[in-house]
PDB file of all heavy atoms in Angstrom:
ATOM      1  N   CYS A 106     -18.536   0.534  10.616  1.00 96.00           N
ATOM      2  CA  CYS A 106     -17.954  -0.717  11.113  1.00 96.00           C
ATOM      3  C   CYS A 106     -18.932  -1.844  10.818  1.00 96.00           C
ATOM      4  O   CYS A 106     -20.141  -1.669  10.952  1.00 96.00           O
ATOM      5  CB  CYS A 106     -17.706  -0.637  12.617  1.00 96.00           C
ATOM      6  SG  CYS A 106     -17.003  -2.154  13.314  1.00 96.00           S
ATOM      7  N   PHE A 112     -24.592  -1.934  21.205  1.00 95.00           N
ATOM      8  CA  PHE A 112     -24.524  -0.753  22.080  1.00 95.00           C
ATOM      9  C   PHE A 112     -23.736   0.397  21.447  1.00 95.00           C
ATOM     10  O   PHE A 112     -23.548   1.441  22.055  1.00 95.00           O
ATOM     11  CB  PHE A 112     -23.820  -1.146  23.396  1.00 95.00           C
ATOM     12  CG  PHE A 112     -22.551  -1.905  23.145  1.00 95.00           C
ATOM     13  CD1 PHE A 112     -21.377  -1.230  22.853  1.00 95.00           C
ATOM     14  CD2 PHE A 112     -22.544  -3.295  23.122  1.00 95.00           C
ATOM     15  CE1 PHE A 112     -20.218  -1.915  22.564  1.00 95.00           C
ATOM     16  CE2 PHE A 112     -21.379  -4.000  22.831  1.00 95.00           C
ATOM     17  CZ  PHE A 112     -20.215  -3.305  22.561  1.00 95.00           C
ATOM     18  N   CYS A 113     -23.254   0.189  20.215  1.00 94.00           N
ATOM     19  CA  CYS A 113     -22.288   1.124  19.620  1.00 94.00           C
ATOM     20  C   CYS A 113     -22.914   1.884  18.456  1.00 94.00           C
ATOM     21  O   CYS A 113     -23.486   1.276  17.547  1.00 94.00           O
ATOM     22  CB  CYS A 113     -21.069   0.333  19.137  1.00 94.00           C
ATOM     23  SG  CYS A 113     -19.928   1.282  18.116  1.00 94.00           S
ATOM     24  N   ALA A 114     -22.783   3.200  18.484  1.00 91.00           N
ATOM     25  CA  ALA A 114     -23.378   4.031  17.433  1.00 91.00           C
ATOM     26  C   ALA A 114     -22.755   3.739  16.068  1.00 91.00           C
ATOM     27  O   ALA A 114     -23.452   3.668  15.057  1.00 91.00           O
ATOM     28  CB  ALA A 114     -23.218   5.505  17.789  1.00 91.00           C
ATOM     29  N   PHE A 150      -6.559   3.545  18.995  1.00 96.00           N
ATOM     30  CA  PHE A 150      -7.450   3.158  17.885  1.00 96.00           C
ATOM     31  C   PHE A 150      -8.800   2.808  18.487  1.00 96.00           C
ATOM     32  O   PHE A 150      -9.173   1.650  18.617  1.00 96.00           O
ATOM     33  CB  PHE A 150      -6.854   1.981  17.100  1.00 96.00           C
ATOM     34  CG  PHE A 150      -5.744   2.387  16.169  1.00 96.00           C
ATOM     35  CD1 PHE A 150      -4.463   2.641  16.648  1.00 96.00           C
ATOM     36  CD2 PHE A 150      -5.978   2.546  14.804  1.00 96.00           C
ATOM     37  CE1 PHE A 150      -3.443   3.040  15.788  1.00 96.00           C
ATOM     38  CE2 PHE A 150      -4.960   2.940  13.935  1.00 96.00           C
ATOM     39  CZ  PHE A 150      -3.697   3.189  14.428  1.00 96.00           C
ATOM     40  N   MET A 151      -9.502   3.861  18.901  1.00 94.00           N
ATOM     41  CA  MET A 151     -10.797   3.665  19.560  1.00 94.00           C
ATOM     42  C   MET A 151     -11.882   4.511  18.919  1.00 94.00           C
ATOM     43  O   MET A 151     -12.934   4.732  19.496  1.00 94.00           O
ATOM     44  CB  MET A 151     -10.699   4.015  21.047  1.00 94.00           C
ATOM     45  CG  MET A 151      -9.842   3.050  21.841  1.00 94.00           C
ATOM     46  SD  MET A 151      -9.975   3.341  23.598  1.00 94.00           S
ATOM     47  CE  MET A 151      -8.865   2.076  24.230  1.00 94.00           C
ATOM     48  N   GLY A 152     -11.580   5.020  17.728  1.00 94.00           N
ATOM     49  CA  GLY A 152     -12.597   5.791  17.026  1.00 94.00           C
ATOM     50  C   GLY A 152     -13.492   4.854  16.228  1.00 94.00           C
ATOM     51  O   GLY A 152     -13.783   3.752  16.666  1.00 94.00           O
ATOM     52  N   GLY A 154     -14.683   2.158  13.646  1.00 96.00           N
ATOM     53  CA  GLY A 154     -14.135   1.024  12.905  1.00 96.00           C
ATOM     54  C   GLY A 154     -13.438  -0.022  13.750  1.00 96.00           C
ATOM     55  O   GLY A 154     -13.090   0.213  14.905  1.00 96.00           O
ATOM     56  N   GLU A 155     -13.237  -1.177  13.145  1.00 97.00           N
ATOM     57  CA  GLU A 155     -12.551  -2.285  13.806  1.00 97.00           C
ATOM     58  C   GLU A 155     -11.149  -2.383  13.180  1.00 97.00           C
ATOM     59  O   GLU A 155     -11.005  -2.824  12.030  1.00 97.00           O
ATOM     60  CB  GLU A 155     -13.373  -3.572  13.616  1.00 97.00           C
ATOM     61  CG  GLU A 155     -12.645  -4.848  13.973  1.00 97.00           C
ATOM     62  CD  GLU A 155     -11.924  -4.822  15.301  1.00 97.00           C
ATOM     63  OE1 GLU A 155     -12.503  -4.395  16.318  1.00 97.00           O
ATOM     64  OE2 GLU A 155     -10.749  -5.216  15.329  1.00 97.00           O
ATOM     65  N   PRO A 156     -10.121  -1.959  13.916  1.00 98.00           N
ATOM     66  CA  PRO A 156      -8.786  -1.888  13.313  1.00 98.00           C
ATOM     67  C   PRO A 156      -8.279  -3.211  12.741  1.00 98.00           C
ATOM     68  O   PRO A 156      -7.616  -3.216  11.699  1.00 98.00           O
ATOM     69  CB  PRO A 156      -7.883  -1.396  14.454  1.00 98.00           C
ATOM     70  CG  PRO A 156      -8.714  -1.322  15.667  1.00 98.00           C
ATOM     71  CD  PRO A 156     -10.149  -1.420  15.285  1.00 98.00           C
ATOM     72  N   SER A 184      -7.530  -1.068  20.004  1.00 96.00           N
ATOM     73  CA  SER A 184      -8.725  -1.637  20.639  1.00 96.00           C
ATOM     74  C   SER A 184      -9.447  -2.498  19.613  1.00 96.00           C
ATOM     75  O   SER A 184      -9.730  -2.059  18.500  1.00 96.00           O
ATOM     76  CB  SER A 184      -9.626  -0.493  21.115  1.00 96.00           C
ATOM     77  OG  SER A 184     -10.799  -1.015  21.691  1.00 96.00           O
ATOM     78  N   THR A 185      -9.729  -3.744  19.995  1.00 97.00           N
ATOM     79  CA  THR A 185     -10.347  -4.665  19.030  1.00 97.00           C
ATOM     80  C   THR A 185     -11.444  -5.499  19.669  1.00 97.00           C
ATOM     81  O   THR A 185     -11.361  -5.866  20.835  1.00 97.00           O
ATOM     82  CB  THR A 185      -9.297  -5.605  18.396  1.00 97.00           C
ATOM     83  OG1 THR A 185      -9.983  -6.551  17.554  1.00 97.00           O
ATOM     84  CG2 THR A 185      -8.498  -6.370  19.443  1.00 97.00           C
ATOM     85  N   VAL A 186     -12.435  -5.808  18.852  1.00 98.00           N
ATOM     86  CA  VAL A 186     -13.524  -6.672  19.310  1.00 98.00           C
ATOM     87  C   VAL A 186     -13.090  -8.143  19.228  1.00 98.00           C
ATOM     88  O   VAL A 186     -13.803  -9.024  19.675  1.00 98.00           O
ATOM     89  CB  VAL A 186     -14.798  -6.364  18.486  1.00 98.00           C
ATOM     90  CG1 VAL A 186     -14.704  -6.940  17.084  1.00 98.00           C
ATOM     91  CG2 VAL A 186     -16.061  -6.824  19.194  1.00 98.00           C
ATOM     92  N   ALA A 207      -6.214  -3.577  23.626  1.00 96.00           N
ATOM     93  CA  ALA A 207      -7.408  -3.488  24.458  1.00 96.00           C
ATOM     94  C   ALA A 207      -8.424  -4.416  23.802  1.00 96.00           C
ATOM     95  O   ALA A 207      -8.719  -4.275  22.613  1.00 96.00           O
ATOM     96  CB  ALA A 207      -7.924  -2.058  24.507  1.00 96.00           C
ATOM     97  N   SER A 209     -12.121  -5.658  23.516  1.00 97.00           N
ATOM     98  CA  SER A 209     -13.484  -5.268  23.882  1.00 97.00           C
ATOM     99  C   SER A 209     -14.287  -6.528  24.164  1.00 97.00           C
ATOM    100  O   SER A 209     -14.848  -7.133  23.258  1.00 97.00           O
ATOM    101  CB  SER A 209     -14.106  -4.460  22.746  1.00 97.00           C
ATOM    102  OG  SER A 209     -13.400  -3.245  22.610  1.00 97.00           O
ATOM    103  N   HIS A 211     -16.716  -7.214  27.043  1.00 98.00           N
ATOM    104  CA  HIS A 211     -18.110  -6.856  27.375  1.00 98.00           C
ATOM    105  C   HIS A 211     -18.977  -7.965  27.951  1.00 98.00           C
ATOM    106  O   HIS A 211     -20.195  -7.784  28.056  1.00 98.00           O
ATOM    107  CB  HIS A 211     -18.849  -6.281  26.160  1.00 98.00           C
ATOM    108  CG  HIS A 211     -18.089  -5.239  25.413  1.00 98.00           C
ATOM    109  ND1 HIS A 211     -17.484  -4.167  26.020  1.00 98.00           N
ATOM    110  CD2 HIS A 211     -17.831  -5.115  24.079  1.00 98.00           C
ATOM    111  CE1 HIS A 211     -16.896  -3.423  25.109  1.00 98.00           C
ATOM    112  NE2 HIS A 211     -17.072  -3.971  23.931  1.00 98.00           N
ATOM    113  N   GLU A 254     -11.813  -4.446  27.911  1.00 96.00           N
ATOM    114  CA  GLU A 254     -12.791  -3.353  27.974  1.00 96.00           C
ATOM    115  C   GLU A 254     -14.177  -3.947  28.179  1.00 96.00           C
ATOM    116  O   GLU A 254     -14.523  -4.962  27.557  1.00 96.00           O
ATOM    117  CB  GLU A 254     -12.779  -2.556  26.671  1.00 96.00           C
ATOM    118  CG  GLU A 254     -11.383  -2.145  26.268  1.00 96.00           C
ATOM    119  CD  GLU A 254     -11.225  -0.653  26.220  1.00 96.00           C
ATOM    120  OE1 GLU A 254     -11.643   0.019  27.179  1.00 96.00           O
ATOM    121  OE2 GLU A 254     -10.705  -0.187  25.214  1.00 96.00           O
ATOM    122  N   VAL A 256     -18.065  -2.521  28.468  1.00 96.00           N
ATOM    123  CA  VAL A 256     -19.105  -1.483  28.501  1.00 96.00           C
ATOM    124  C   VAL A 256     -20.224  -1.966  29.421  1.00 96.00           C
ATOM    125  O   VAL A 256     -20.751  -3.071  29.242  1.00 96.00           O
ATOM    126  CB  VAL A 256     -19.660  -1.233  27.083  1.00 96.00           C
ATOM    127  CG1 VAL A 256     -20.869  -0.313  27.136  1.00 96.00           C
ATOM    128  CG2 VAL A 256     -18.598  -0.625  26.187  1.00 96.00           C
ATOM    129  N   ILE A 287     -16.508   0.489  31.482  1.00 93.00           N
ATOM    130  CA  ILE A 287     -16.858   1.742  30.807  1.00 93.00           C
ATOM    131  C   ILE A 287     -18.360   1.989  30.938  1.00 93.00           C
ATOM    132  O   ILE A 287     -19.148   1.224  30.386  1.00 93.00           O
ATOM    133  CB  ILE A 287     -16.496   1.673  29.300  1.00 93.00           C
ATOM    134  CG1 ILE A 287     -15.064   1.164  29.101  1.00 93.00           C
ATOM    135  CG2 ILE A 287     -16.709   3.010  28.631  1.00 93.00           C
ATOM    136  CD1 ILE A 287     -14.749   0.762  27.670  1.00 93.00           C
ATOM    137  N   PRO A 288     -18.736   3.036  31.684  1.00 93.00           N
ATOM    138  CA  PRO A 288     -20.168   3.352  31.726  1.00 93.00           C
ATOM    139  C   PRO A 288     -20.648   3.627  30.307  1.00 93.00           C
ATOM    140  O   PRO A 288     -20.000   4.374  29.576  1.00 93.00           O
ATOM    141  CB  PRO A 288     -20.228   4.619  32.589  1.00 93.00           C
ATOM    142  CG  PRO A 288     -18.927   4.647  33.336  1.00 93.00           C
ATOM    143  CD  PRO A 288     -17.918   3.989  32.445  1.00 93.00           C
ATOM    144  N   TRP A 289     -21.734   2.996  29.920  1.00 93.00           N
ATOM    145  CA  TRP A 289     -22.213   3.106  28.541  1.00 93.00           C
ATOM    146  C   TRP A 289     -22.597   4.545  28.208  1.00 93.00           C
ATOM    147  O   TRP A 289     -23.321   5.195  28.965  1.00 93.00           O
ATOM    148  CB  TRP A 289     -23.423   2.184  28.333  1.00 93.00           C
ATOM    149  CG  TRP A 289     -23.991   2.227  26.954  1.00 93.00           C
ATOM    150  CD1 TRP A 289     -23.369   1.882  25.799  1.00 93.00           C
ATOM    151  CD2 TRP A 289     -25.317   2.639  26.585  1.00 93.00           C
ATOM    152  NE1 TRP A 289     -24.222   2.038  24.728  1.00 93.00           N
ATOM    153  CE2 TRP A 289     -25.432   2.504  25.179  1.00 93.00           C
ATOM    154  CE3 TRP A 289     -26.429   3.107  27.300  1.00 93.00           C
ATOM    155  CZ2 TRP A 289     -26.595   2.817  24.478  1.00 93.00           C
ATOM    156  CZ3 TRP A 289     -27.591   3.415  26.603  1.00 93.00           C
ATOM    157  CH2 TRP A 289     -27.668   3.267  25.203  1.00 93.00           C
ATOM    158  N   ASN A 290     -22.137   5.031  27.071  1.00 90.00           N
ATOM    159  CA  ASN A 290     -22.548   6.349  26.578  1.00 90.00           C
ATOM    160  C   ASN A 290     -23.765   6.164  25.700  1.00 90.00           C
ATOM    161  O   ASN A 290     -23.746   5.337  24.789  1.00 90.00           O
ATOM    162  CB  ASN A 290     -21.426   6.986  25.744  1.00 90.00           C
ATOM    163  CG  ASN A 290     -20.184   7.219  26.581  1.00 90.00           C
ATOM    164  OD1 ASN A 290     -20.263   7.637  27.729  1.00 90.00           O
ATOM    165  ND2 ASN A 290     -19.032   6.902  26.011  1.00 90.00           N
ATOM    166  N   THR A 292     -26.645   5.959  23.108  1.00 89.00           N
ATOM    167  CA  THR A 292     -26.829   6.013  21.646  1.00 89.00           C
ATOM    168  C   THR A 292     -28.341   5.885  21.419  1.00 89.00           C
ATOM    169  O   THR A 292     -29.111   5.995  22.367  1.00 89.00           O
ATOM    170  CB  THR A 292     -26.116   4.832  20.958  1.00 89.00           C
ATOM    171  OG1 THR A 292     -26.775   3.613  21.334  1.00 89.00           O
ATOM    172  CG2 THR A 292     -24.645   4.737  21.337  1.00 89.00           C
ATOM    173  N   CYS A 332     -16.331   7.460  23.259  1.00 54.00           N
ATOM    174  CA  CYS A 332     -16.307   6.213  22.501  1.00 54.00           C
ATOM    175  C   CYS A 332     -17.718   5.720  22.226  1.00 54.00           C
ATOM    176  O   CYS A 332     -18.595   5.827  23.056  1.00 54.00           O
ATOM    177  CB  CYS A 332     -15.579   5.145  23.293  1.00 54.00           C
ATOM    178  SG  CYS A 332     -13.849   5.484  23.428  1.00 54.00           S
ATOM    179  N   GLY A 333     -17.903   5.156  21.074  1.00 55.00           N
ATOM    180  CA  GLY A 333     -19.193   4.565  20.738  1.00 55.00           C
ATOM    181  C   GLY A 333     -20.210   5.591  20.291  1.00 55.00           C
ATOM    182  O   GLY A 333     -21.302   5.254  19.879  1.00 55.00           O
ATOM    183  N   GLN A 334     -19.864   6.857  20.377  1.00 61.00           N
ATOM    184  CA  GLN A 334     -20.787   7.871  19.880  1.00 61.00           C
ATOM    185  C   GLN A 334     -20.261   8.466  18.589  1.00 61.00           C
ATOM    186  O   GLN A 334     -20.778   9.440  18.085  1.00 61.00           O
ATOM    187  CB  GLN A 334     -20.980   8.963  20.926  1.00 61.00           C
ATOM    188  CG  GLN A 334     -21.646   8.404  22.165  1.00 61.00           C
ATOM    189  CD  GLN A 334     -22.113   9.475  23.101  1.00 61.00           C
ATOM    190  OE1 GLN A 334     -21.480  10.508  23.212  1.00 61.00           O
ATOM    191  NE2 GLN A 334     -23.204   9.235  23.771  1.00 61.00           N
TER     192      GLN A 334
HETATM  193  N1  SAH B   1     -13.869  -1.573  17.095  1.00 79.89           N
HETATM  194  C1  SAH B   1     -12.940  -1.471  18.159  1.00 79.89           C
HETATM  195  C2  SAH B   1     -12.478  -0.053  18.405  1.00 79.89           C
HETATM  196  C3  SAH B   1     -13.491   1.038  18.358  1.00 79.89           C
HETATM  197  S1  SAH B   1     -14.659   1.054  19.645  1.00 79.89           S
HETATM  198  C4  SAH B   1     -13.505  -2.094  19.418  1.00 79.89           C
HETATM  199  O1  SAH B   1     -14.680  -2.430  19.457  1.00 79.89           O
HETATM  200  O2  SAH B   1     -12.737  -2.280  20.346  1.00 79.89           O
HETATM  201  C5  SAH B   1     -13.707   1.634  21.014  1.00 79.89           C
HETATM  202  C6  SAH B   1     -14.293   1.236  22.363  1.00 79.89           C
HETATM  203  O3  SAH B   1     -15.526   1.932  22.616  1.00 79.89           O
HETATM  204  C7  SAH B   1     -14.614  -0.242  22.469  1.00 79.89           C
HETATM  205  O4  SAH B   1     -14.174  -0.790  23.676  1.00 79.89           O
HETATM  206  C8  SAH B   1     -16.112  -0.229  22.385  1.00 79.89           C
HETATM  207  O5  SAH B   1     -16.655  -1.360  22.930  1.00 79.89           O
HETATM  208  C9  SAH B   1     -16.455   1.021  23.134  1.00 79.89           C
HETATM  209  N2  SAH B   1     -17.822   1.498  22.918  1.00 79.89           N
HETATM  210  C10 SAH B   1     -18.567   1.319  21.823  1.00 79.89           C
HETATM  211  N3  SAH B   1     -19.788   1.894  21.983  1.00 79.89           N
HETATM  212  C11 SAH B   1     -19.783   2.448  23.216  1.00 79.89           C
HETATM  213  C12 SAH B   1     -20.753   3.200  23.958  1.00 79.89           C
HETATM  214  N4  SAH B   1     -21.934   3.510  23.449  1.00 79.89           N
HETATM  215  N5  SAH B   1     -20.412   3.608  25.197  1.00 79.89           N
HETATM  216  C13 SAH B   1     -19.186   3.346  25.704  1.00 79.89           C
HETATM  217  N6  SAH B   1     -18.240   2.664  25.053  1.00 79.89           N
HETATM  218  C14 SAH B   1     -18.538   2.193  23.816  1.00 79.89           C
END
Side-chain angles (χ1 to χ4, degrees):
C106 179
F112 48 82
C113 169
F150 283 78
M151 292 189 180
E155 167 48 47
S184 178
T185 175
V186 75
S209 294
H211 313 311
E254 310 242 48
V256 172
I287 311 166
W289 180 62
N290 298 319
T292 67
C332 291
Q334 296 192 326

